Amino acid sequence: MIAAASTVVVIALVLWWILSSEAWPAVQKQFFNPTNFREVWPDVVGGFWLDIRMFLVAEVLILGIALLLAMIRALRGPAFFPLRALVIVFIDLIRGVPIILLILLLGFGIPALQLKGVPTSPLFWGVATLVISYSAYTAEVYRAGIESVHESQRMAARSLGLTQMKALRYVLVPQAIRNVIPALLNGFVSLQKDVALVFILGVREGVREAQIYTAKTFNYTGYIAATVLFLLVSVPVARFTDWYTERDRKRKQAVGSG
Amino acid sequence: MSVKVELSNVVKAFDDKVVLRDVDLEVNLHEVVCLIGSSGSGKSTLLKCVNLLVPIDSGEILFDGSVITDPSVNPNEIRQKMGIVFQAFNLFPHMTVLENIMLAPTKVHGVDKLEAHELAQNLLLQFGLLDKIDEYPDRLSGGQQQRVAVVRALATRPELMLFDEVTSALDPELVAEVLGVIRGLKDRGMTMIVATHEMGFARDVADQVCFLDDGVILEQSTPKELFSNPQQPRTRQFLQRIVDAGRL
Ligand SMILES: Nc1ncnc2c1ncn2[C@@H]1O[C@H](COP(=O)(O)OP(=O)(O)O)[C@@H](O)[C@H]1O
Ligand SMILES: [Mg+2]
């Protein structure tokens, strides 16, 4: 109650300060112009819908590929050393390069090679880069999860004659995933925004549409429209992540003390 | 009598710490061998070596007369013939009792689901756990969890069972139900190696008792001999401590 009241007061004060400032009329004209907003909204929404689709396709691929990478990395013994080393090198390299640089490299670089049978669409390479980059990060999330499962579980699984891969698949990974769901959800929020980076390849997603409009009209309202759309999706996911994490923590406490 | 398991000159070290020193042991078919000795003497390590969960440094382990510690041997195939039960139960918490039991038969031995289900039901019935078939492990008492762990190991129809202090994590009133299960297995002729602190149980059930001390089998004989007439001062000392603690 006190929290709600004080929040309202603070917001009201901030709004009053902004709206009464000398600069406000200019700001409103440049960023919050209703006419411009109406004009740009359909294009930005259309572009944003592409953002959403890119996000969905990429996320599904990332969750699968990252899990495979993490499982390979969790294999033990000298026989798997080459495979394991390959995965570690891949993850280190990808994580060591700014994602925007990867997008430029793959998105402009590979189509420029004009290889036969290799796609040249910037959309394809934009999404592919996001998948590659996020898979490397997400593999590390899974790895932390797998390592958090007690060693005795692996031993029990192996003692029943399960191979390493089967022990991972049936025993370790299901427990690991439960432990890292909050971290995976955080990854969702992050990717949902980073899909906009492919605008640099000229893909006409939400931010690109806003940029095109601004270049034409010298008015920034289009960027505000895009901002609103991204917030509409990412804030609820962030709230959900918090809610889930909290519930999970309480459940673990209940089990721990029961 | 045929020899089921044979260890000869087995040596195992973790880094610089030698945990098993030239261990020799023969376990005959249908025989129960109990391993006793203070904590840290190497009982768990010995069992894990037999099960190939821990690679040995030198020596040999034979199972049914063939060497299983050779690098060319696939450990998964050997483990399919043995069951091990651990002190901490180690049930899979994300699976029900039924799923825990069916995992190895279906995913390792290729038994079809219906048959594995029936086998699991039969075993649970025998061990008085049929009403727990759909429970998750965290809903069971320690004794029930440990009996499920035994059933899970038996579901692969092992020829040898290894028990590693399976009652040490249990409340005293639950110990008997688990020991009863092991006695039952002896009556059915199961070959077993049992690491235990329950001297009364070892005296009743074992065919041979081995006293381990700092990675060496210091003394080995029938329970009657070992408990009433121990030859080594260290064995006498160990047994005296057990008697003083009121556990024999
Ligand atoms: N994985 C391991 N790494 C290092 N040392 C170990 C490991 N497992 C056991 N040991 C050591 O080996 C010795 C014997 O342990 P263990 O076989 O568990 O004895 P017991 O079961 O008789 O209590 C102990 O000193 C223990 O610290
Ligand atoms: Mg032990």
Side-chain angles (χ1 to χ4, degrees):
Chain A
M1 196 57 214
I2 292 172
S6 65
T7 311
V8 168
V9 169
V10 169
I11 289 175
L13 277 175
V14 170
L15 275 179
W16 173 80
W17 179 75
I18 291 173
L19 293 176
S20 65
S21 90
E22 254 172 62
W24 173 246
V27 171
Q28 185 184 22
K29 190 158 158 284
Q30 280 298 307
F31 289 90
F32 298 97
N33 191 319
T35 319
N36 293 110
F37 195 90
R38 249 173 274 134
E39 212 171 77
V40 73
W41 182 253
D43 286 344
V44 176
V45 168
F48 186 69
W49 174 231
L50 179 60
D51 281 313
I52 296 284
R53 281 178 296 164
M54 286 193 292
F55 163 72
L56 291 175
V57 169
E59 189 63 65
V60 169
L61 291 172
I62 289 161
L63 289 176
I65 293 169
L67 183 56
L68 196 68
L69 292 176
M71 285 169 81
I72 292 172
R73 208 176 161 171
L75 293 174
R76 292 183 187 171
F80 295 107
F81 176 78
L83 215 56
R84 219 164 42 221
L86 211 64
V87 168
I88 293 172
V89 168
F90 169 81
I91 291 176
D92 282 357
L93 286 184
I94 297 300
R95 292 206 311 163
V97 180
I99 186 165
I100 192 80
L101 194 51
L102 283 176
I103 290 175
L104 291 172
L105 262 174
L106 298 182
F108 285 131
I110 294 185
L113 294 175
Q114 299 194 316
L115 299 172
K116 255 203 224 99
V118 175
T120 54
S121 132
L123 177 62
F124 175 88
W125 285 106
V127 174
T129 311
L130 288 168
V131 169
I132 290 169
S133 174
Y134 268 75
S135 292
Y137 286 97
T138 312
E140 292 294 284
V141 170
Y142 281 126
R143 178 164 85 113
I146 291 171
E147 283 174 2
S148 74
V149 179
H150 200 273
E151 177 65 23
S152 61
Q153 288 284 309
R154 183 195 281 255
M155 211 167 54
R158 298 305 306 281
S159 79
L160 290 168
L162 272 75
T163 59
Q164 290 204 61
M165 235 4 187
K166 283 182 179 170
L168 278 166
R169 176 162 160 212
Y170 297 111
V171 176
L172 302 175
V173 165
Q175 296 183 63
I177 287 180
R178 281 175 203 206
N179 292 343
V180 297
I181 284 177
L184 292 177
L185 287 170
N186 276 325
F188 283 22
V189 176
S190 179
L191 177 65
Q192 193 264 322
K193 294 172 299 177
D194 277 356
V195 283
L197 289 172
V198 304
F199 94 102
I200 202 147
L201 302 175
V203 174
R204 292 189 66 161
E205 50 70 64
V207 175
R208 182 68 177 177
E209 291 290 357
Q211 192 197 25
I212 290 169
Y213 183 81
T214 302
K216 258 190 330 214
T217 61
F218 300 103
N219 182 288
Y220 299 99
T221 304
Y223 287 143
I224 295 297
T227 304
V228 168
L229 287 169
F230 276 100
L231 287 177
L232 277 179
V233 176
S234 57
V235 170
V237 178
R239 286 301 93 224
F240 174 78
T241 306
D242 265 16
W243 171 82
Y244 181 90
T245 310
E246 186 62 14
R247 197 192 64 160
D248 198 48
R249 196 178 61 81
K250 283 196 180 133
R251 219 178 34 198
K252 276 192 190 126
Q253 269 175 0
V255 170
S257 62
Chain B
M1 235 187 314
S2 68
V3 179
K4 192 72 186 168
V5 186
E6 184 178 347
L7 285 77
S8 76
N9 297 319
V10 169
V11 175
K12 173 65 195 176
F14 291 109
D15 302 318
D16 290 341
K17 191 176 179 344
V18 184
V19 175
L20 297 177
R21 305 164 196 268
D22 273 326
V23 169
D24 291 311
L25 178 66
E26 275 188 15
V27 182
N28 292 317
L29 188 66
H30 307 310
E31 208 175 45
V32 179
V33 172
C34 281
L35 306 175
I36 63 171
S38 42
S39 168
S41 58
K43 303 182 295 296
S44 301
T45 306
L46 194 157
L47 292 174
K48 285 177 196 162
C49 289
V50 171
N51 192 264
L52 306 182
L53 286 170
V54 166
I56 61 173
D57 298 333
S58 66
E60 276 183 346
I61 301 177
L62 285 79
F63 185 76
D64 281 341
S66 51
V67 181
I68 58 172
T69 42
D70 195 80
S72 66
V73 174
N74 179 355
N76 295 318
E77 280 171 21
I78 302 304
R79 289 187 197 122
Q80 289 172 27
K81 299 178 190 164
M82 304 179 186
I84 184 165
V85 182
F86 303 96
Q87 180 175 342
F89 325 143
N90 300 356
L91 293 178
F92 306 132
H94 61 297
M95 296 182 188
T96 63
V97 166
L98 179 66
E99 288 163 345
N100 264 279
I101 297 168
M102 282 176 60
L103 180 68
T106 54
K107 304 301 179 201
V108 179
H109 297 255
V111 177
D112 74 49
K113 275 219 161 94
L114 270 174
E115 198 183 326
H117 192 153
E118 209 167 300
L119 174 70
Q121 268 181 328
N122 279 337
L123 285 167
L124 287 171
L125 183 67
Q126 285 171 40
F127 289 87
L129 290 161
L130 194 53
D131 56 324
K132 306 294 180 202
I133 190 162
D134 291 321
E135 290 285 9
Y136 282 89
D138 65 2
R139 302 277 311 265
L140 305 180
S141 75
Q144 289 165 343
Q145 289 189 50
Q146 196 57 297
R147 283 186 288 146
V148 171
V150 174
V151 170
R152 181 174 73 178
L154 289 175
T156 59
R157 305 183 194 281
E159 300 164 26
L160 169 73
M161 283 291 287
L162 309 169
F163 291 91
D164 189 5
E165 289 189 38
V166 291
T167 58
S168 295
L170 296 178
D171 293 334
E173 72 270 21
L174 302 177
V175 168
E177 71 182 57
V178 173
L179 293 183
V181 164
I182 303 177
R183 281 174 217 265
L185 291 177
K186 180 191 164 80
D187 295 340
R188 287 195 249 164
M190 180 65 80
T191 312
M192 300 189 269
I193 309 178
V194 184
T196 185
H197 282 303
E198 300 291 333
M199 297 304 147
F201 171 80
R203 197 168 47 189
D204 292 352
V205 174
D207 298 296
Q208 298 180 64
V209 179
C210 300
F211 173 65
L212 253 90
D213 185 55
D214 198 19
V216 178
I217 297 187
L218 210 55
E219 191 163 352
Q220 172 176 5
S221 54
T222 62
K224 200 162 163 240
E225 269 296 300
L226 193 128
F227 287 116
S228 56
N229 187 19
Q231 300 298 307
Q232 299 285 337
R234 299 278 300 166
T235 318
R236 281 200 285 275
Q237 218 176 43
F238 173 76
L239 291 174
Q240 190 57 47
R241 274 209 311 274
I242 300 268
V243 171
D244 291 346
R247 298 186 65 175
L248 189 69

